[in-house]
Every structure is written in C-alpha cells, then in structure tokens.
C-alpha cells in the first residue's frame, strides 16, 4: 500500500545496521515511558489533540506553582543540591570506566562530551537548564547541523520552549498475510513546533534534529508524561486557598465593631427605617479633600470594612445604647497554613527541616544526618541520572555525524556511560571517610583470624566491601606499582593481604 510521506525540516540519521526487525504486534516501550500512539493524524486525531492540550496545560500549571514563594524555595533546594558550579572545572564529567572499548574511542568520546558542554553553554546555563527541565518535566533542544558538511558535527544547540513543541509518535501497522494479526512495521516519530504556540499550524521537525529528555515519570492511567511538580499541585492550591482565606478572615474579624441601638419611639416602620438611615449617614459621613486636585469627595456612598451595626429599639425599652463587639481572638494561629506548607515540601520531596531557613547549618558526623536528608540525597541522585540523558541524546547524534560510531553502536555503549556531577556537600565525604575508618578498624580486629576462621577473599568482599571487579582492579594496580618500584617492602605487601 502506498504511503504519503511529508517533508520534515532538519536532518535525519540513517543507521548502517543490517539487523532484521523481529515481527511483533506489540511495540517497544518508548524512552519516555509512555505507550504508543503519542499523537498522530489518521485515526488518532481526537486523542492526539486532547493529550497535547492536557500536557501543555500541565506545563503551564507547573510553571505557576514554581513561582509560588514556598515552592520556589523548595525547587532551589533541589537544583542547588544537584548542581555546583566552580570556575576551575565543569559541573559534570563523563565516566567511561565500565565501557569496554578501545582507549582511542574513549578519548574521542571525552572530547565530544566537552564539545557538548560547550554547545549547551553548560558552565553558565546549568542552573537554568536543570531548573527548566525539573519544572516542566521535559526539555527540548534543536540540534543544528550544516547539511552541506554534516561530518563537521553539531554547530549549535538551541533550547525550545516546551509549550511551543510537541512530540508525535505514531505506529504504522501491516497485517500478517496468514493470520491477519496487525504487525508493527515501523514507528513514525517527529516533532511539531509553532513559534506562536498555535500547534495547529506547526512546522515539522525530524526526530534526529531535536534532543528530547523527559522526566521519566509517567501517568500510566493517561499514558502521559508528568513532571516532578505534579504531586505539588494539590497542596499548592490548598496552601494558596488557605492563605487567601486567612487574609479575608483577618480583615473581617480583626477590627472591633460598634452596635448602635437607636430609640425610634413610636414611629411607624417606614419612618423608623428612614430615621435609622439618617442617623447612619450622620455618623458615617466623611468628606475628603485632595490637596493635589482641590477635589472634595463625600464618602457616604462608600461602605467601610469597619462598618458598624445599627439596630432600632421601640419606646419603653432601654433607649439609645452603644456597645462594642470585640475582634477575633485566634488571629495568631497559623497551624493550618504551616500544615499545608509542610505538605507542599513533602510533595516536592524536600525535608521539612528545610522550612526553617533561619536555622544554622552544622556539619557533623554522618550519624547526625536525618533519614529525610538521606532520602532527599537519593532523590537528587535519581534526578541527576535521568537528567544526564540530555548528554546521551546530543552525543548520539554528534558521534554518528562525525563517524566515531554508528547509532546502533552508541545505543549499545549508552548503558555503560555514566556522568559524575560536582558536589560541594561535606556529607558524602564524611560518610565515605567514616565508613572507611570503621572498616579499617574492623580489618585490624579480623586480621588475626585470617586463615583460621576467615579467608582473604571473604575479608575483602565482606569487611572491605570490595566487588570482584574492584579486587581484580586493585590487584592489577598493586602489581603495576610493584613493577614500577613504588612498593618495595614485602612486609607491607603482606599486610595489605591480611598478614598472610
């Protein structure tokens, strides 16, 4: 069946892999965790429109939450914990220890990674890039290439507003001739960009010309990518409503009010009401003079929030009387506001202890760190791991264009490439040093039992916590140092192996 193809703006990478695609009616999961289709035109128009509209509304709501003072402070805690910018080194570095390839290719990968940081202007823009990704729950970059000379690699990387672009993923099926089962033939994936935000008249961008990094969180009921601020929407709305209600309550209940019991004698009802209104206007009458314009304004037609109460009394009662209603007595209670503020911090995975910004920061032993801080540290580590996919997306295109490796080869290496982020907190260093100190103390106690109750291999794996890869690497380093003459004392070598 002939298919109508539409021209896409941007370059496309062609894989040299001759591997045959296995037949299956079930599509592979997408890298963002959602299920296909994500958009489309034929047969998916209504679903595509609703999904794109909902996602963009969510992004706008995330941004609204991020401007709230408490949410902004919590987001700053997350971003500051994730990124540290120093003038003498990049905030992130590539790590290829687990990648089993030629050293020459490793050096090329390191060079291209530095070029990637330069194109992203990461030394200057790291805070902004990470914060935008964390708030929106996704990040888009256009990869610009000189199509007349693609081997020169990426020339420029431009950020794209998430509200002006959407990702279209549409599976194309073909039916099995024998069984009639729909078999996935290929997946049509591209992006649609609209400078004015009107995606109905968008420009189509090719898959390879856009680097897309999702949050990694998916609403499985709706099949939609959600951001890290999704859990904070409800407590944010509750906190904002509670603060607004608190202001209204204080304005309405804080002032004291007077009650005027006016004696109307035996006047008929209509005349009694008129007499009461005349008394109100007489006491409430206030004339203002504006010296800048010379205008005089009568404020009798304006109602004050300090409005008094006027009540008529018939002849024979107590007569005219003025009494005072006290203001609210519980205006200083803020437990409800503090509760929802703590819920907002919990929704953003930030410890409650960070609500009190005026407390002093003390660096103590690792045992003094609370459980919430440990959970927060692990949460930030997961964020950095997911965010680092932005480097893999750019490196995949860069390495393919420059002929360092093919797309398929980079996808195989991708799982072994990791990234180290600069950290300025002393907690990790304290934890590592205390752990090493405790292990060395235990090692001294266990040494005399090596060969009797414990083996050297057991001590190295259990007491020192070394893996098999660590043991092989350390043994090799020791042998290299012996050959170089850096280790000369045989007794010291025996001590390293438990005194045996």
């Amino acid at each position: 069946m002939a298919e109508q193809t539409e021209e896409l703006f941007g370059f496309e990478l062609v894989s040299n892999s001759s591997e045959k695609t296995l037949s299956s009616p079930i599509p592979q999961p997408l890298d963002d965790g959602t299920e296909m289709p994500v958009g489309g035109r034929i047969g998916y128009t209504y679903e595509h429109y609703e999904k794109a509209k909902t996602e963009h509304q969510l992004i706008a709501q995330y941004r609204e939450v991020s401007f709230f003072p408490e949410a902004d402070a919590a987001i700053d805690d997350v971003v500051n914990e994730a990124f540290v910018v120093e003038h003498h080194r990049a905030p992130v570095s590539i790590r290829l220890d687990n990648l089993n390839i030629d050293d020459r290719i490793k050096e090329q990968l390191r060079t291209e990674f530095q070029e990637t940081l330069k194109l992203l202007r990461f030394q200057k823009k790291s805070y902004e890039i990470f914060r935008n990704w964390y708030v929106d729950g996704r990040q888009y970059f256009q990869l610009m290439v000189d199509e007349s000379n693609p081997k020169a690699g990426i020339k420029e990387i431009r950020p794209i507003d998430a509200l002006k672009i959407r990702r279209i993923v549409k599976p194309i099926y073909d039916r099995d001739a024998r069984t009639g089962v729909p078999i996935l033939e290929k997946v049509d994936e591209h992006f649609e960009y609209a400078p004015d935000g009107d995606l109905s008249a968008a420009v189509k961008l090719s898959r390879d010309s856009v680097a897309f990094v999702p949050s990694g969180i998916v609403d499985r009921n709706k099949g939609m990518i959600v951001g890290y601020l999704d859990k904070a929407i409800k407590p944010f709305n509750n906190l904002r409503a509670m603060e607004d209600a608190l202001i209204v309550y204080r304005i309405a209940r804080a002032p004291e009010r007077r009650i005027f019991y006016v004696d109307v004698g035996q006047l008929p009802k209509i005349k009694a009401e008129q007499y009461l209104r005349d008394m109100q206007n007489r006491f409430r009458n206030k004339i203002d003079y504006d010296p800048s314009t010379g205008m005089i304004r009568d404020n009798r037609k304006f109602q004050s929030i300090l409005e008094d109460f006027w009540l008529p009394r018939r002849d024979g009662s107590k007569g005219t009387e003025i009494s005072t209603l006290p203001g609210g007595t519980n205006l200083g209670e803020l437990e409800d506001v503090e509760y929802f503020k703590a819920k907002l911090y919990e929704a953003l995975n930030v410890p409650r202890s960070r609500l009190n910004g005026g407390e002093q920061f003390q660096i103590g032993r690792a045992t003094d760190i609370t459980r919430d801080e440990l959970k927060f540290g692990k949460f930030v580590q997961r964020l950095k791991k997911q965010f680092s996919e932005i480097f893999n997306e750019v490196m995949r295109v860069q390495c393919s264009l420059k002929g360092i490796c093919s797309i398929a080869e980079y996808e195989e290496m991708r799982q072994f490439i990791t990234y180290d982020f600069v950290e300025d907190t002393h907690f990790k260093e304290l934890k590592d040093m205390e752990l090493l100190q405790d292990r060395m103390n235990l090692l001294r106690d266990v040494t005399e039992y090596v060969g009797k109750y414990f083996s050297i291999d057991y001590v190295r794996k259990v007491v020192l916590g070394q893996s098999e890869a660590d043991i092989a690497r350390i043994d090799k380093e020791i042998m290299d140092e012996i050959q170089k003459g850096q280790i000369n004392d045989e007794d010291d070598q025996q001590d390293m192996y438990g005194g045996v």
Side-chain angles (χ1 to χ4, degrees):
M1 183 175 67
E3 296 182 3
Q4 183 179 0
T5 59
E6 298 181 70
E7 189 69 22
L8 300 178
F9 180 82
F11 62 94
E12 292 187 78
L13 300 177
V14 180
S15 176
N16 296 324
S17 175
S18 59
E19 182 180 356
K20 185 178 179 180
T21 304
L22 301 178
S23 299
S24 173
I26 304 174
Q28 292 182 346
L30 301 176
D31 54 0
D32 60 4
T34 57
E35 297 179 356
M36 289 191 291
V38 180
R41 290 188 178 275
I42 302 176
Y44 303 99
T45 304
Y46 179 78
E47 180 182 358
H48 163 61
Y49 176 77
E50 288 296 323
K51 184 174 293 185
K53 178 181 178 181
T54 303
E55 285 187 353
H56 286 186
Q57 288 178 345
L58 277 178
I59 295 173
Q61 198 165 15
Y62 296 156
R63 295 180 180 181
E64 182 182 0
V65 173
S66 68
F67 284 109
F68 198 68
E70 284 76 11
D72 180 70
I75 294 172
D76 270 343
D77 280 339
V78 173
V79 180
N80 292 334
E81 194 76 16
F83 274 96
V84 177
V85 179
E86 297 181 355
H87 68 279
H88 61 280
R89 57 175 174 171
V92 61
S93 59
I94 191 170
R95 188 167 184 174
L96 307 173
D97 297 345
N98 298 326
L99 191 59
N100 188 18
I101 58 174
D102 186 75
D103 291 339
R104 180 180 57 85
I105 300 180
K106 285 186 178 182
E107 189 60 31
Q108 289 178 328
L109 291 176
R110 293 189 181 97
T111 302
E112 296 307 326
F113 175 72
Q114 295 299 323
E115 181 65 19
T116 298
L117 294 182
K118 179 181 177 182
L119 291 171
L120 289 169
R121 301 174 64 190
F122 207 73
Q123 185 72 16
K124 180 180 180 181
K125 296 286 188 178
S126 58
Y127 178 90
E128 178 183 344
I129 294 174
F130 186 84
R131 182 185 174 91
N132 291 340
W133 171 81
Y134 179 76
V135 172
D136 294 348
R138 67 216 76 202
Q139 186 77 300
Y140 301 87
F141 289 95
Q142 184 187 12
L143 309 180
M144 304 184 66
V145 174
D146 183 3
E147 296 189 22
S148 62
N149 185 21
K151 292 185 178 180
I154 301 173
K155 293 296 184 181
E156 185 180 352
I157 298 179
R158 295 183 181 179
I160 306 175
D161 188 356
L163 291 177
K164 298 180 180 180
I165 191 172
R166 64 185 170 190
R167 183 189 185 199
I168 306 299
V169 180
K170 178 184 174 183
I172 299 177
Y173 291 93
D174 191 11
R175 292 192 176 274
D176 184 80
R178 182 174 61 86
T179 62
V181 175
I183 303 298
L184 181 66
E185 182 178 354
K186 65 177 182 177
V187 176
D188 179 20
E189 180 178 359
H190 63 275
F191 296 87
E192 293 183 352
Y193 171 73
D196 57 354
D198 183 11
L199 294 173
S200 60
V203 178
K204 292 187 177 182
L205 304 177
S206 63
R207 163 68 180 88
D208 296 317
S209 65
V210 177
F212 168 62
V213 184
S215 65
I217 306 177
V218 178
D219 185 347
R220 297 178 64 87
N221 293 327
K222 298 180 180 179
M224 181 176 59
I225 303 172
V226 296
Y228 294 97
L229 302 188
D230 199 70
K231 297 184 298 181
I233 293 177
K234 182 178 179 180
F236 160 72
N237 290 331
N238 292 337
L239 177 60
R240 184 169 57 176
M242 186 60 60
E243 290 184 346
D244 293 341
L246 179 64
I247 294 175
V248 174
Y249 175 78
R250 290 199 171 191
I251 292 176
R253 292 292 181 263
E256 294 182 348
R257 286 175 171 80
R258 294 172 298 177
I259 303 179
F260 291 81
Y261 296 96
V262 181
D263 187 3
V264 295
Q266 298 296 329
L267 292 175
K269 180 180 179 181
I270 297 178
K271 291 187 176 181
E273 292 177 353
Q274 181 63 40
Y275 175 72
L276 194 62
R277 284 195 294 270
D278 291 341
M279 293 290 291
Q280 289 179 359
N281 292 332
R282 184 184 308 170
F283 283 93
R284 194 174 59 183
N285 186 21
K286 182 181 179 181
I287 299 177
D288 292 338
Y289 172 74
D290 188 353
S292 61
T293 61
M295 296 295 293
I296 298 177
R297 186 179 70 171
D298 187 354
N299 276 339
R300 285 182 296 180
K301 57 184 178 180
F302 298 102
Q303 185 176 10
S304 171
I305 63 173
L306 303 178
E307 191 69 31
D308 298 322
F309 297 97
W310 296 78
L311 303 175
R313 273 182 174 175
R314 286 296 180 182
D315 187 21
S317 59
K318 297 180 180 180
T320 302
E321 179 186 351
I322 301 176
S323 60
T324 302
L325 288 177
T329 58
N330 59 342
L331 299 177
E333 297 180 2
L334 298 175
E335 287 82 0
D336 295 341
V337 175
E338 295 298 331
Y339 170 77
F340 286 110
K341 189 182 297 184
K343 290 287 291 184
L344 179 62
Y345 265 61
E346 286 184 355
L348 295 173
N349 295 323
V350 178
R352 286 192 178 188
S353 58
R354 300 199 176 201
L355 277 170
N356 302 322
E359 293 184 355
Q360 293 183 351
F361 176 71
Q362 296 180 352
I363 300 177
R365 290 180 58 84
T367 53
D368 299 333
I369 303 299
T370 62
R371 180 180 178 86
D372 289 342
E373 287 291 338
L374 284 175
K375 292 173 62 178
F376 179 64
K378 293 181 179 180
F379 168 69
V380 173
Q381 290 294 332
R382 293 195 302 271
L383 287 181
K384 292 190 289 188
K385 184 176 181 180
Q386 179 66 25
F387 174 78
S388 61
E389 286 300 311
I390 185 175
F391 307 125
N392 282 330
E393 284 295 305
V394 178
M395 292 276 289
R396 177 183 70 90
V397 175
Q398 185 80 312
C399 293
S400 178
L401 290 173
K402 292 191 173 182
I404 299 174
C405 61
S406 64
I407 302 175
E409 290 173 342
Y410 189 85
E411 291 297 335
E412 292 181 1
M413 297 187 299
R414 188 172 188 159
Q415 57 183 323
F416 302 107
I417 299 176
T418 57
Y419 300 90
D420 291 334
F421 292 81
V422 177
E423 298 180 0
D424 65 346
T425 176
H426 290 284
F427 168 66
K428 186 176 184 301
E429 297 179 6
L430 287 171
K431 183 180 67 173
D432 294 341
M433 294 301 295
E434 290 176 14
L435 182 60
L436 179 60
Q437 184 178 4
D438 293 339
R439 284 178 174 175
M440 296 306 296
N441 293 334
L442 182 58
L443 179 62
R444 282 191 290 268
D445 296 336
V446 173
T447 299
E448 59 179 310
Y449 301 105
V450 172
K452 185 176 181 180
Y453 299 110
F454 304 104
S455 65
I456 296 177
D457 191 60
Y458 177 86
V459 171
R460 298 186 68 174
K461 289 183 178 179
V462 177
V463 177
L464 297 179
Q466 298 176 355
S467 63
E468 292 184 357
D470 292 334
I471 293 175
R473 176 177 55 82
I474 293 173
D475 287 344
K476 183 178 182 302
E477 291 175 353
I478 292 175
M479 295 304 297
D480 291 342
E481 290 174 356
I482 292 175
Q483 294 177 358
K484 294 178 181 178
Q486 297 177 352
I487 300 178
N488 298 318
D489 191 350
E490 296 182 358
D491 294 335
D492 292 340
Q493 297 174 29
Q494 292 178 357
D495 290 340
M496 294 179 184
Y497 288 89
V500 179

